[in-house]
Amino acid sequence: MSYSVQERIKPKALQGISDEQIRQHWALYEGYVKNVNGLIEDLERAEIGSRSWAELKRRAGFEFNGMALHEYYFGNLAAGSQLSAQSALASELVESWGTVEVWRQDFAKTGAMRGVGWAILYRDPMGDRLFNWWIGDHELNHPAGCHPIIVLDVFEHAWMVDYGAGGRDEYIRAFLENVCWEVVEQRHKDSRAGHTPARF
């Protein structure tokens, strides 16, 4: 089995994130899918325990998470969506942060931290709580067993076309105006039901 590019999650007509920005970012995602498939094939041929096998194993986490996180990211983007104030997610955001706006500020500041990586709203199903989490490299610092609910890419490639090198804050504001809350609320429902949320 090989992985395929998920065209149906490619967002269009976002507010503040141009189609050209998405086109260039999408090409990077396509590269991750290709690299994951190539790594799987190479691992199947490699001698178990060899140096080349070990190096492929080390690369696999970076490439796989690069693919998966981009699928979560593109999957949680759409123009014109609104968080339902009556949703379980809205209630849990208020329970955890006091207001949705305070959560939003915390999430934006998490994404604006120095460095490149990801800001992710995670739900811990064991602790039944939400966290805004900073991830550096794709494969490092993920809280084990937690479910991604909102995924924000904060590598420069996510905003350079639209905002240039210093435009991270503007990009994060645009991202938050384009969250597909229906998808995000479904991820939250899936997590509460004991299922890992689908990437797309």
Side-chain angles (χ1 to χ4, degrees), residues 37-106:
N37 289 324
L39 275 166
I40 290 169
E41 290 174 12
D42 292 345
L43 276 165
E44 288 171 351
R45 292 191 298 266
E47 178 186 348
I48 294 173
S50 67
R51 285 185 182 177
S52 61
W53 173 88
E55 184 54 33
L56 291 166
K57 287 278 187 178
R58 285 186 188 95
R59 284 186 49 213
F62 178 84
E63 298 290 350
F64 187 91
N65 278 9
M67 175 186 72
L69 289 171
H70 279 95
E71 289 170 350
Y72 277 116
Y73 170 76
F74 289 120
N76 63 205
L77 281 173
S81 181
Q82 296 291 321
L83 173 64
S84 169
Q86 288 74 42
S87 68
L89 175 57
S91 296
E92 200 165 332
L93 290 171
V94 169
E95 183 180 318
S96 298
W97 279 274
T99 68
V100 172
E101 183 54 35
V102 172
W103 163 77
R104 182 183 168 111
Q105 290 171 11
D106 187 277

Side-chain angles (χ1 to χ4, degrees), residues 88-132:
L89 175 57
S91 296
E92 200 165 332
L93 290 171
V94 169
E95 183 180 318
S96 298
W97 279 274
T99 68
V100 172
E101 183 54 35
V102 172
W103 163 77
R104 182 183 168 111
Q105 290 171 11
D106 187 277
F107 187 79
K109 291 295 184 186
T110 301
M113 288 170 42
R114 186 164 172 76
V116 294
W118 302 85
I120 301 178
L121 173 65
Y122 273 108
R123 183 172 181 279
D124 176 13
M126 294 296 289
D128 192 27
R129 62 177 299 173
L130 297 169
F131 297 94
N132 288 327

Side-chain angles (χ1 to χ4, degrees), residues 132-170:
N132 288 327
W133 209 267
W134 171 260
I135 306 298
D137 287 337
H138 306 324
E139 76 279 26
L140 302 176
N141 202 35
H142 293 276
C146 292
H147 297 157
I149 307 300
I150 300 178
V151 175
L152 167 62
D153 188 341
V154 285
F155 282 85
E156 286 100 339
H157 60 247
W159 73 80
M160 285 290 286
V161 171
D162 290 335
Y163 296 107
R168 184 191 300 219
D169 289 343
E170 293 90 340

